[in-house]
Amino acid sequence: MEAQRLYFKLSSTIPTSQIQYQRTPFIQILHKASTNNNITLKGSFLKPHVSFDPKVLKCTNCLQRIEREVAIIQLRKKKIAVFVSGSGSNFRSIYEATLEGIVHGEVAVLVTNKDDCGGAKYAREQDIPVILFPKAKNSSVGLSEEDLVDALRAFNIDFILLAGYLKLIPTELVRAFPRSIFNIHPSLLPAFGGKGYYGIKVHKAVIDSGARYSGPTIHHVDEHYDTGRILAQGVVPVLANDTAETLAARVLHEEHKLYVEVAAALCEERIVWREDGVPLIRSKEDPDHYK
């Protein structure tokens, strides 16, 4: 009931005390609406000042949708570590989605191998802790593999999201966070993936191959480059007059949308693993449907 008190305000003849203290589920309270013609419901997932006829609220689909949203609110917010090596545009998209409530989690720490990259600078501007990994050669700055695992555990990290991080993830980290590390790659894996395929090189290879479609892939991270099981993909066309730069911009736009969707699914505990180790996303609207 605490979540209901924090996230909902009702303006009607329903007493506020009913929502805050009664054991009657919130959905059932709506069924008991009084003789008023309309109920105005304000909440984090409904547009403010939208009026609903009580008869409409009895619609099974409406009630099920509200029940799902209440269940998400009651989940513990997941803590995310994001790894970057460059500008961190995907990191920014995920972080902004957490602030807007689209992703039910928080970015607790940023890890980078380039202390002066755009992603690290942005993180510091937002007061997000920044960790340098791996330790540079002949330098005392940065963490070892063991220290990184300890640091992430100290932050109580639930998920690690690689967003343009160019270093191979060490086996020790993969084993310490099983089924919890994911990466985004700017091609439709398994094509154009592996060591050496990153950034603009990927898009140039796609165009040179004559492929008609490209797009980002989000996959589970194992001990190798781009070989983990695929979780989600987005598809964009490769146009006849595309350059590597124009294709990269189109794919990046799709990356931002796809990674936010996946981050939301992770934080809402909607990732289901098949017996063969392939991760699937359970639909938010229809729990019996998988993407």
Side-chain angles (χ1 to χ4, degrees):
M1 302 308 293
E2 179 66 17
Q4 294 163 8
R5 182 165 66 253
L6 290 174
Y7 285 85
F8 296 93
K9 295 179 181 178
L10 285 172
S11 58
S12 70
T13 58
I14 303 175
T16 305
S17 59
Q18 282 186 297
I19 301 172
Q20 295 179 352
Y21 305 113
Q22 279 194 4
R23 292 187 178 182
T24 307
F26 175 67
I27 304 305
Q28 293 182 18
I29 291 174
L30 293 181
H31 274 302
K32 296 179 181 178
S34 67
T35 56
N36 271 12
N37 291 329
N38 292 292
I39 296 174
T40 302
L41 179 62
K42 301 176 184 178
S44 62
F45 55 85
L46 293 173
K47 293 181 180 179
H49 308 297
V50 177
S51 294
F52 297 87
D53 188 289
K55 294 180 181 178
V56 177
L57 284 171
K58 292 181 181 180
C59 167
T60 301
N61 290 337
C62 297
L63 296 176
Q64 288 178 344
R65 185 175 70 249
I66 296 174
E67 284 178 327
R68 287 194 296 269
E69 295 291 351
V70 171
I72 291 170
I73 291 169
Q74 292 174 336
L75 285 174
R76 175 182 62 83
K77 273 193 173 184
K78 303 299 187 291
K79 293 194 174 183
I80 303 168
V82 182
F83 285 41
V84 305
S85 293
S87 64
S89 64
N90 273 304
F91 155 54
R92 295 187 189 204
S93 294
I94 294 168
Y95 173 69
E96 290 171 0
T98 64
L99 297 182
E100 295 168 5
I102 298 171
V103 173
H104 192 62
E106 62 175 299
V107 177
V109 63
L110 181 123
V111 177
T112 182
N113 63 311
K114 296 183 178 180
D115 197 43
D116 60 347
C117 70
K121 292 177 181 177
Y122 179 77
R124 293 189 181 97
E125 291 172 0
Q126 310 306 317
D127 293 323
I128 298 172
V130 176
I131 292 175
L132 183 62
F133 175 83
K135 182 184 293 186
K137 293 181 179 179
N138 303 319
S139 173
S140 60
V141 179
L143 298 185
S144 65
E145 294 176 8
E146 291 182 359
D147 289 340
L148 177 62
V149 171
D150 290 341
L152 294 177
R153 284 174 172 164
F155 278 105
N156 297 314
I157 294 302
D158 294 291
F159 299 108
I160 296 171
L161 303 182
L162 312 186
Y165 185 71
L166 301 181
K167 294 291 185 179
L168 185 65
I169 298 301
T171 299
E172 187 171 351
L173 187 62
V174 173
R175 292 177 178 173
F177 292 88
R179 292 186 171 182
S180 300
I181 309 177
F182 296 87
N183 177 53
I184 191 163
H185 182 78
S187 75
L188 295 174
L189 293 175
F192 311 106
K195 189 174 182 179
Y197 277 104
Y198 61 89
I200 205 70
K201 295 180 180 180
V202 174
H203 307 295
K204 186 178 186 305
V206 169
I207 291 174
D208 290 345
S209 75
R212 300 303 196 266
Y213 295 94
S214 188
T217 298
I218 296 176
H219 64 92
H220 173 242
V221 172
D222 57 20
E223 293 87 350
H224 308 285
Y225 283 110
D226 304 328
T227 58
R229 299 298 182 91
I230 292 170
L231 174 61
Q233 290 182 310
V235 179
V236 302
V238 179
L239 305 181
N241 60 346
D242 261 335
T243 63
E245 289 74 18
T246 58
L247 178 59
R250 192 177 307 116
V251 172
L252 184 62
H253 179 72
E254 189 68 21
E255 286 182 33
H256 293 166
K257 295 191 298 181
L258 189 66
Y259 224 167
V260 167
E261 291 174 6
V262 167
L266 286 166
C267 292
E268 293 168 14
E269 301 179 0
R270 290 190 287 111
I271 305 301
V272 178
W273 296 80
R274 280 189 342 205
E275 291 183 1
D276 59 0
V278 172
L280 304 172
I281 299 176
R282 188 173 65 243
S283 170
K284 187 174 182 178
E285 291 73 25
D286 181 3
D288 295 325
H289 178 71
Y290 296 87
K291 299 179 181 179

